[in-house]
Amino acid sequence: EIGVRLVGSEMCIRDSPHRQAQHELYATAVELRSAARSARLEALGAYAEAAQLRDVVVPLRQRILDETVRHYNAMNADPFAVLLAQQALVEGRQLLLEATARYGAAMAQVSALRRGVMPALTAAGAGPELPASSAGPAPAGGHGSSPAQQRLPTLSGEARDV
C-alpha cells in the first residue's frame, strides 16, 4: 500500500459551485461583449445607410424632380415623368425614415447594453426585446472593453459616446 490520500478531490467538490458561478459570470461577460459589438456594428451600419440617403439619395431625387418640372414647364416632358420623379422622391424619403428608425432602434439597444441589460431575442426573431430583469452590469475592463470607449455619430452630425 502506498497510502495516498485524496484530500484535493474533497476540495474540488466543495469549490465546484464557486467555479460554476465563475464560469457562468465569464460566459455572461463574453455574451455581453459580443452583443455590444453586434449592436455597435448594427448602429454604425444603420447610421451609414441613413446618412447616405439623407446626404445623397434624397437631394439627388429632389434635383431630378426639379429638373423634370422645368422640362414639363418647357413642354419637353409629359406629366407622367413628373409623377414618376415625385414618386421616386417619396420612396427615397420613405427609405430615409425607415433607416432612421432602424438607427434609433440600434441606438436604443446600444444604450440598453451600456446599462447592462442583455437583450433577449423574441420568439419570432423580429428583434431585441429587453427583459424586465437586468442581467447585471458588465464587468469592468477585460477583453473587448476598448470598443465601448468609442463614439457613434448621430444623424444630426455630432458624436455620441458608446
Side-chain angles (χ1 to χ4, degrees), residues 56-71:
V56 177
V57 174
V58 171
L60 284 178
R61 288 185 180 185
Q62 180 65 52
R63 187 172 171 192
I64 290 170
L65 175 63
D66 294 343
E67 288 296 320
T68 305
V69 168
R70 284 191 191 117
H71 284 278

Side-chain angles (χ1 to χ4, degrees), residues 7 50 53 58 72 89 91 95-96 113 119-120 130 136 149 156 160:
V7 176
L53 287 165
V58 171
Y72 173 76
L89 176 62
E91 287 174 359
L95 290 173
L96 175 60
L113 285 167
L130 299 179
Q149 303 302 322
S156 60
R160 171 186 281 176

Side-chain angles (χ1 to χ4, degrees), residues 48-137:
E49 180 185 1
Q52 172 74 11
L53 287 165
R54 181 196 63 211
D55 297 338
V56 177
V57 174
V58 171
L60 284 178
R61 288 185 180 185
Q62 180 65 52
R63 187 172 171 192
I64 290 170
L65 175 63
D66 294 343
E67 288 296 320
T68 305
V69 168
R70 284 191 191 117
H71 284 278
Y72 173 76
N73 289 338
M75 295 186 180
N76 292 331
D78 61 351
F80 297 109
V82 176
L83 289 175
L84 288 175
Q86 179 68 37
Q87 182 181 13
L89 176 62
V90 169
E91 287 174 359
R93 288 180 178 164
Q94 183 178 4
L95 290 173
L96 175 60
L97 288 174
E98 291 169 0
T100 303
R102 280 192 302 276
Y103 175 71
M107 287 307 297
Q109 187 176 5
V110 168
S111 178
L113 285 167
R114 289 185 70 203
R115 290 189 316 268
V117 178
M118 282 286 278
L121 292 179
T122 60
E129 178 183 296
L130 299 179
S133 64
S134 162

Side-chain angles (χ1 to χ4, degrees), residues 12 14-28:
C12 287
R14 277 190 289 163
D15 288 345
S16 68
H18 177 68
R19 285 188 180 189
Q20 182 179 1
Q22 282 181 330
H23 289 296
E24 288 175 3
L25 180 64
Y26 180 75
T28 302

